[in-house]
Amino acid sequence: MSTKQNAQQYKQSYTFYPKQTSLVAGSFLSFDSQNNLRHKMSELHPTAQANTYVTVILPMAVPKPYTYAVPEEWVSKVQVGVRVEVQFGPKRQYAALVLDVLTEAPGHKTKAILSIIDDTPIIWAEQLRFWQWVGQYYCCTLGEVMHAALPANLKLASETTITLSPLFDGDIMDLEDKEYLIAEALTIQHELTLEQVRDILGIKTIYPLIRDMLDKRIIYLKEDLKEKFKAKTVACVRLREPYVSHPENLQDAFDKLSRATRQVEALMAYLQLARGQEFVRRDELYKMAKVDASVISAMEKKEILEVYEREVSRIGGYEDEIVEADALSEQQVRSIAEIQGHFEEKNVVLLQGVTGSGKTRVYIELIREAMKRGEQILYLLPEIALTTQIIDRLKRVFGDQVDVYHSRLNNNERVEIWNRTKEGKALILGARSALFLPFRNLKLVIVDEEHDPSFKQQDPNPRYQGRDAAIYLAQLFGAKVLLGTATPSIESFYNTQVGKYGLVSMTERFGGLELPEVEIVDLKKAQKAGTMQSHFTVDLINAMRGTLEKGEQVILFQNRRGYAPIYKCSTCNWTCECIHCDVSLTYHKGQNNLKCHYCGYQTQLPKECPACGSKQLIVQGFGTEKIEDELKIFMPDAKIGRMDLDTVRSKNAHAKIINDFEEGRLNVLVGTQMVTKGLDFEKVGLVGILSADQLLQFPDFRAGERAFQLMLQVAGRAGRKHKRGKVIIQVQNVANPVIKEVLNNDFRAFYAREIMERQEFFYPPFYRLIRITLKHKKPEVINAAAQKYGNFLRSKLGDRLRGPAVPYVGRVRSYFLIDFLIKLERNPKLIGVTKDLIAEAEHFLLNEEGYSSIKIAVDVDPM
Ligand code: ADP
Ligand code: ZN
Ligand code: ZN
């Protein structure tokens, strides 16, 4: 597409949030006369002056795009979607993205761009339109969207810090002059900001050079932690000398082994494997020769074979055998046909399949068909569910045709996947940020675990919902969307009921397995009877013992990490709170300290109560750490693992715990909601939920929905590929209707009750919510500002505005918070007007004396 066409295409469709245009009386006249004047001038005197301009997006929260002039020499190279180097403010440079190419001068003075960074656009028209939508829908600036969308390597700025790349394996002497200067400076100084690079080279424009050096992997961004560069290796086996150079000597080797038949077999297997391929993986040899590590190590001792680590690319480069996908079950065949049928008329289909029904196999089939047609596919998952399990399953079938885009990649790898997507990579598996990849022929989007709240970005802007944004993105491409889950969100299910989405159900587990049996245990009764053993009922303890005796595994779910959420004085009731936030500190026994789960603040345990001096300090409540701790007493022989934020912090820890559990090195896994996501364990006989009340009492209109989803999801881990599993739910409030619905695995009953409540109390999906949070470090300032701000909005919105109100946690990281909630009828015009109004209100407040330092966060569709 030509530059001009591009420019045309972009011109009209964009309006910016917040809208900046205003029609001033008389402007029409002045515009007209100016235009005439310019027209005449160009007729008479063609000059060398610039007559091409670009509007660009800067990667930050500035309210609108900026215009720069394009010097003549670059006019032929500038196009929508490339990055240009620009100066912004007195001393700062940025890589900005060209949004539009103009041939008319803006009515004001402009700076010229410093360089054009890219030869070809880094994103397509669809992505720009997507950015635009995200900005408008979620009330943030295009710059913030750009910031979220681009991998860091594509977002250069003055303060960007570079270092020498550990991957650079060339000779620094071979570099070009400027590259050499930078590389040399980096060997001495280790790291440089782009500002310093500019000074060293003494030139004005450096970004094209930096881009080149990043592409060639001479340098990398400092923000890439070292560990993200650790090479991935696989163990391989090869012959030793003299057998490599003199294969005729192999007979000697066979003689040496003659009495060890298994070693002979291994050697024969090795030779056979080595004939067909460059490398022989140790695992392959194990498999083919049916031998284990002891056989190979014996052959190492005899100096015939050696094991070595061979480096492989961390992304792609799949080396295992590709296998045929399993034959489809009847239910899967029917579901696929139904999905395809719905896709004839509808863009979105919800696949509601019980845990273990084999949804993944259905996805695989649809992906395969899309691939055959040469289409691109995006498979979205909540980040934490992006475990090796699902990755392996897809790679086994699709090999190198799949790339995985997630937060554990370094920036080079991100750019690699970015470019491959642009070139048409078939299948991308990723978390929500993968929505921003430069697809060009996206035709199918799968959103797995569509109900999961972690699809929503909470902070910072753009606060987007990955599932909802996926549906918009798909629409841009004319792509179909498949939402999959065992426990649909109320919104998605509602859309099937009003005919907007298709609905396909899979009610049977694969292989005819039964769904687990659920038992509710009344905590109140047990407490009254005095039969509790700490936080365990006799029923749970007995069931656990029975399960372990049968050689099966147990999962225990407690949605709180740490040892105990409250540390208090039993004499005067003083509780230990965070100094920055209005929450009590959680006691962590392993580290013997108190921690804030909101800001990370840590402190030592007080020796005595600071209020009354008493030494009777006690803990209250319980988290995963305490459960793990006490289990060790009740079940001294069980091997217990724990999976929560505290134990998966280090790289690969998450994968290791899952692996240990999968391979039976752990009998019991205690965890937070991490254990509910995307795991397929084969020997789990029992799942225990220690306190369902905690889930039900959450102060949010979605508490019931979340509780229902969490309980059914964690229950779904029981009895897979095995036999009927069991679930025990401990709860005080047995009468809560959600408990009964979980007991009966009755989504319909749950939905019917919940949807009525939503309607009655003006909640989604009937009403749209926008939450606005004001933050400031001084309570008196925030209170007064909230009044003013609230009055401004209320004068226009009336009762649709709720608040001001102090949220559940009223102070976080030393900022005092005030919330407003806007409830809107689902009327697009009203919603549009309200968003404009919110922008106006912000403008109004920040321009009031004394309030310019208030922070305002707008959250559309808060979760
Ligand atoms: P879901 O995602 O719906 O919870 P999975 O896709 O994880 O279910 O499938 C559950 C189990 O059934 C997995 O172990 C999977 O390998 C197995 N399975 C599903 N479909 C088939 C099939 N057609 N052939 C063989 N095994 C299958
Ligand atoms: Zn006290
Ligand atoms: Zn805190």
Side-chain angles (χ1 to χ4, degrees):
M1 199 188 288
S2 78
T3 306
K4 206 161 165 199
Q5 274 173 317
N6 255 340
Q8 285 294 341
Q9 188 176 339
Y10 285 100
K11 211 169 243 166
Q12 275 141 18
S13 56
Y14 292 125
T15 51
F16 295 96
Y17 183 85
K19 283 207 188 93
Q20 296 289 318
T21 44
S22 64
L23 274 180
V24 183
S27 63
F28 182 72
L29 191 76
S30 62
F31 174 74
D32 200 22
S33 56
Q34 212 180 45
N35 229 16
N36 277 334
L37 198 61
R38 204 180 313 122
H39 186 68
K40 272 182 209 137
M41 272 175 68
S42 61
E43 255 178 8
L44 292 172
H45 299 290
T47 66
Q49 265 198 336
N51 56 7
T52 300
Y53 298 83
V54 283
T55 53
V56 300
I57 313 172
L58 289 153
M60 58 179 135
V62 288
K64 58 180 174 54
Y66 279 76
T67 306
Y68 288 84
V70 181
E72 197 59 43
E73 51 180 318
W74 291 323
V75 166
S76 62
K77 282 181 71 186
V78 74
Q79 52 182 319
V80 172
V82 298
R83 289 172 302 154
V84 290
E85 182 178 6
V86 299
Q87 182 158 356
F88 185 75
K91 265 210 78 164
R92 297 171 53 82
Q93 282 85 17
Y94 290 95
L97 192 106
V98 174
L99 181 65
D100 202 355
V101 180
L102 313 169
T103 48
E104 301 251 313
H108 52 84
K109 255 182 81 178
T110 53
K111 288 191 192 120
I113 61 169
L114 300 173
S115 70
I116 295 185
I117 304 173
D118 304 299
D119 302 326
T120 52
I122 60 165
I123 58 174
W124 310 104
E126 286 83 358
Q127 278 80 42
L128 265 181
R129 229 171 283 147
F130 181 59
W131 291 14
Q132 200 76 37
W133 177 82
V134 171
Q136 257 163 37
Y137 188 91
Y138 293 104
C139 295
C140 67
T141 65
L142 266 182
E144 288 169 308
V145 181
M146 172 176 174
H147 191 66
L150 296 184
N153 275 16
L154 300 178
K155 281 187 303 199
L156 308 175
S158 301
E159 71 276 11
T160 303
T161 307
I162 55 168
T163 81
L164 267 187
S165 166
L167 299 175
F168 177 59
D169 52 5
D171 189 342
I172 151 165
M173 299 305 285
D174 294 339
L175 299 177
E176 284 163 26
D177 289 354
K178 284 180 197 146
E179 293 176 345
Y180 176 81
L181 279 176
I182 297 174
E184 192 195 42
L186 282 172
T187 50
I188 301 163
Q189 264 170 277
H190 193 61
E191 59 179 66
L192 294 170
T193 64
L194 295 189
E195 199 50 50
Q196 291 169 318
V197 171
R198 202 179 293 270
D199 290 344
I200 288 170
L201 297 180
I203 52 176
K204 223 173 163 194
T205 161
I206 58 161
Y207 285 10
L209 175 68
I210 296 294
R211 188 210 78 180
D212 237 32
M213 292 180 78
L214 282 166
D215 284 354
K216 291 188 204 155
R217 307 209 155 178
I218 302 167
I219 55 172
Y220 75 110
L221 301 188
K222 191 200 155 202
E223 67 177 62
D224 276 327
L225 298 173
K226 285 222 174 59
E227 68 168 338
K228 284 195 177 171
F229 271 95
K230 266 200 199 122
K232 182 178 159 192
T233 61
V234 288
C236 291
V237 178
R238 64 186 168 207
L239 282 177
R240 295 192 53 161
E241 291 295 5
Y243 310 111
V244 185
S245 321
H246 303 278
E248 65 275 13
N249 290 0
L250 266 172
Q251 194 48 51
D252 301 345
F254 277 110
D255 292 345
K256 264 198 218 173
L257 300 178
S258 63
R259 248 171 288 155
T261 39
R262 305 211 326 157
Q263 295 177 30
V264 172
E265 276 164 23
L267 184 54
M268 287 192 341
Y270 170 82
L271 292 173
Q272 195 184 334
L273 284 169
R275 214 172 295 145
Q277 58 203 57
E278 221 174 317
F279 309 98
V280 175
R281 294 159 67 114
R282 188 176 54 187
D283 285 348
E284 253 177 313
L285 186 55
Y286 286 169
K287 216 158 99 191
M288 177 150 178
K290 301 201 176 60
V291 296
D292 58 19
S294 65
V295 174
I296 305 297
S297 79
M299 295 169 79
E300 279 189 288
K301 283 206 192 96
K302 292 180 186 163
E303 301 193 338
I304 294 167
L305 290 183
E306 69 179 335
V307 176
Y308 66 104
E309 293 291 323
R310 198 173 69 78
E311 201 175 312
V312 293
S313 164
R314 300 197 330 153
I315 55 176
Y318 184 72
E319 302 201 327
D320 272 335
E321 201 182 345
I322 305 261
V323 300
E324 261 306 297
D326 296 318
L328 294 163
S329 72
E330 235 171 77
Q331 179 176 242
Q332 286 164 339
V333 172
R334 174 190 49 81
S335 303
I336 291 165
E338 283 181 27
I339 291 167
Q340 285 164 334
H342 282 302
F343 277 159
E344 304 267 312
E345 303 142 32
K346 290 179 176 150
N347 291 329
V348 185
V349 173
L350 173 66
L351 174 62
Q352 179 181 20
V354 295
T355 49
S357 55
K359 294 185 286 297
T360 317
R361 181 65 188 87
V362 170
Y363 305 150
I364 286 174
E365 199 55 26
L366 295 168
I367 292 168
R368 202 153 63 163
E369 286 173 11
M371 272 185 187
K372 266 195 228 145
R373 296 188 293 266
E375 300 168 353
Q376 283 185 303
I377 304 112
L378 170 62
Y379 187 139
L380 278 189
L381 269 168
E383 174 85 36
I384 193 71
L386 276 173
T387 60
T388 48
Q389 288 188 338
I390 181 71
I391 296 169
D392 285 350
R393 261 168 99 177
L394 291 178
K395 290 214 161 168
R396 235 177 289 142
V397 183
F398 297 116
D400 276 347
Q401 287 172 291
V402 49
D403 269 341
V404 188
Y405 194 71
H406 55 70
S407 64
R408 296 182 299 283
L409 298 175
N410 66 50
N411 283 305
N412 278 330
E413 291 163 336
R414 280 167 184 262
V415 172
E416 227 175 275
I417 294 182
W418 185 275
N419 291 334
R420 292 211 290 244
T421 310
K422 216 172 77 176
E423 284 148 22
K425 184 86 188 186
L427 173 59
I428 304 286
L429 174 63
R432 63 169 178 269
S433 63
L435 287 166
F436 293 106
L437 286 169
F439 296 100
R440 58 194 308 186
N441 186 31
L442 184 66
K443 290 292 170 216
L444 176 64
V445 182
I446 292 166
V447 184
D448 199 5
E449 313 291 355
E450 70 87 23
H451 65 278
D452 198 302
S454 54
F455 273 121
K456 171 88 179 182
Q457 169 146 321
Q458 299 293 356
D459 194 24
N461 277 348
R463 294 169 157 85
Y464 64 109
Q465 207 317 346
R467 174 199 61 213
D468 299 346
I471 291 170
Y472 179 80
L473 182 73
Q475 202 180 310
L476 277 178
F477 279 95
K480 301 293 177 187
V481 182
L482 182 62
L483 308 176
T485 177
T487 51
S489 61
I490 292 288
E491 279 91 341
S492 296
F493 197 80
Y494 173 77
N495 281 328
T496 67
Q497 299 305 292
V498 295
K500 207 164 149 198
Y501 299 172
L503 174 65
V504 175
S505 305
M506 290 166 76
T507 52
E508 309 278 318
R509 280 189 158 184
F510 178 78
L513 281 175
E514 278 182 283
L515 280 166
E517 169 200 357
V518 181
E519 185 184 330
I520 307 294
V521 177
D522 188 334
L523 277 173
K524 262 195 212 141
K525 261 195 204 153
Q527 280 156 353
K528 231 187 220 159
T531 56
M532 294 290 293
Q533 306 195 25
S534 183
H535 306 290
F536 300 92
T537 56
V538 178
D539 311 61
L540 182 55
I541 289 272
N542 287 344
M544 285 177 71
R545 292 211 170 104
T547 306
L548 295 183
E549 271 161 26
K550 279 186 276 179
E552 296 171 0
Q553 292 174 308
V554 177
I555 290 180
L556 290 182
F557 171 70
Q558 166 62 2
N559 210 18
R560 215 170 235 162
R561 65 192 168 94
Y563 190 85
I566 292 171
Y567 192 75
K568 63 184 264 189
C569 168
S570 65
T571 311
C572 76
N573 258 340
W574 167 86
T575 59
C576 196
E577 298 215 330
C578 179
I579 56 170
H580 307 296
C581 315
D582 286 347
V583 292
S584 60
L585 294 175
T586 299
Y587 171 51
H588 285 252
K589 191 176 176 187
Q591 290 162 328
N592 195 34
N593 64 7
L594 295 162
K595 270 192 216 172
C596 173
H597 288 179
Y598 278 74
C599 73
Y601 169 77
Q602 307 186 9
T603 182
Q604 295 306 307
L605 305 182
K607 295 216 164 56
E608 55 189 39
C609 172
C612 74
S614 155
K615 291 206 161 51
Q616 305 293 314
L617 298 173
I618 56 166
V619 298
Q620 197 178 320
F622 62 102
T624 44
E625 196 187 7
K626 187 159 191 236
I627 294 302
E628 182 193 13
D629 213 49
E630 288 177 350
L631 268 185
K632 285 181 186 152
I633 302 166
F634 296 130
M635 312 200 162
D637 297 331
K639 279 167 283 174
I640 302 161
R642 171 156 62 92
M643 186 156 81
D644 55 32
L645 254 189
D646 297 315
T647 64
V648 305
R649 218 156 251 159
S650 73
K651 193 182 150 74
N652 295 331
H654 186 235
K656 184 172 182 312
I657 297 169
I658 290 174
N659 204 260
D660 284 348
F661 194 64
E662 236 173 359
E663 294 180 0
R665 286 186 289 277
L666 297 172
N667 310 117
V668 183
L669 184 63
V670 182
T672 54
Q673 57 191 355
M674 277 183 197
V675 300
T676 64
K677 296 193 184 175
L679 301 179
D680 181 8
F681 300 124
E682 293 184 20
K683 286 186 234 106
V684 179
L686 174 71
V687 167
I689 297 174
L690 285 143
S691 165
D693 302 282
Q694 248 173 44
L695 303 173
L696 296 164
Q697 285 158 2
F698 211 72
D700 183 90
F701 77 94
R702 286 187 211 272
E705 181 180 1
R706 292 271 176 279
F708 183 83
Q709 288 164 350
L710 269 173
M711 282 191 265
L712 274 190
Q713 290 286 344
V714 71
R717 306 306 122 201
R720 305 179 58 132
K721 241 195 213 172
H722 173 62
K723 54 182 172 192
R724 191 162 195 208
K726 180 160 186 168
V727 181
I728 290 188
I729 301 177
Q730 300 191 150
V731 62
Q732 307 255 1
N733 182 5
V734 210
N736 190 307
V738 172
I739 295 295
K740 195 166 146 212
E741 289 147 6
V742 169
L743 177 68
N744 300 332
N745 186 21
D746 193 347
F747 177 81
R748 293 289 175 136
F750 160 73
Y751 174 78
R753 189 179 49 75
E754 185 73 26
I755 199 79
M756 269 170 54
E757 283 182 18
R758 298 281 180 98
Q759 188 153 29
E760 190 174 346
F761 298 106
F762 310 107
Y763 278 115
F766 303 99
Y767 282 73
R768 170 142 285 154
L769 303 185
I770 301 178
R771 185 172 57 213
I772 302 166
T773 305
L774 269 45
K775 298 205 275 190
H776 197 272
K777 288 199 169 171
K778 294 196 182 129
E780 59 282 3
V781 174
I782 195 78
N783 284 344
Q787 288 302 345
K788 266 200 180 331
Y789 183 87
N791 290 342
F792 183 95
L793 280 184
R794 182 157 287 110
S795 67
K796 313 258 164 57
L797 288 171
D799 281 349
R800 295 189 180 101
L801 181 76
R802 313 285 158 98
V806 176
Y808 183 57
V809 175
R811 188 178 53 122
V812 174
R813 293 174 194 272
S814 303
Y815 280 92
F816 290 87
L817 311 182
I818 297 263
D819 268 359
F820 290 92
L821 189 66
I822 301 174
K823 291 185 173 182
L824 295 171
E825 302 90 309
R826 298 185 60 104
N827 165 345
K829 205 166 155 206
L830 172 69
I831 293 167
V833 169
T834 306
K835 285 177 182 172
D836 288 345
L837 191 62
I838 291 171
E840 247 179 79
E842 173 165 343
H843 191 73
F844 158 77
L845 186 68
L846 299 186
N847 281 312
E848 287 277 295
E849 171 113 24
Y851 297 141
S852 63
S853 55
I854 301 256
K855 295 189 181 184
I856 303 178
V858 180
D859 191 356
V860 179
D861 302 340
M863 308 232 21

